[in-house]
Amino acid sequence: MSEPSFQYEPVERFGEGLTTRRPWNTDALRGVEQLNGRVAMLGFAAALVGELISGHGPAGQVLAVVRWYLS
């Protein structure tokens, strides 16, 4: 059986990773934050389009979907 090609990070106490001076993997964080921001912009645009189509704000749209689902 061959050796695994991955390495586990050392086990640390709860919260230790936030208080040590160990460098963060900022490349991975940058990608995650870009994806999160882009999905948030799409959701905001979808809410605006839904408001233009239905004439209801976000809460009214949610209530309309709940009423439709329960009927």
Side-chain angles (χ1 to χ4, degrees), residues 9-20 22:
E9 292 188 11
V11 177
E12 58 188 29
R13 293 180 302 153
F14 178 75
E16 184 180 358
L18 298 174
T19 58
T20 60
R22 200 172 56 202

Side-chain angles (χ1 to χ4, degrees), residues 1-61:
M1 183 170 223
S2 65
E3 293 271 335
S5 61
F6 56 88
Q7 295 180 353
Y8 288 108
E9 292 188 11
V11 177
E12 58 188 29
R13 293 180 302 153
F14 178 75
E16 184 180 358
L18 298 174
T19 58
T20 60
R21 294 215 174 262
R22 200 172 56 202
W24 287 46
N25 184 356
T26 55
D27 291 334
L29 291 175
R30 186 176 299 115
V32 168
E33 288 299 323
Q34 277 184 341
L35 177 64
N36 187 25
R38 290 175 181 165
V39 170
M41 286 186 271
L42 286 174
F44 184 76
L48 288 178
V49 169
E51 187 171 349
L52 288 173
I53 292 172
S54 69
H56 298 287
Q61 292 175 32

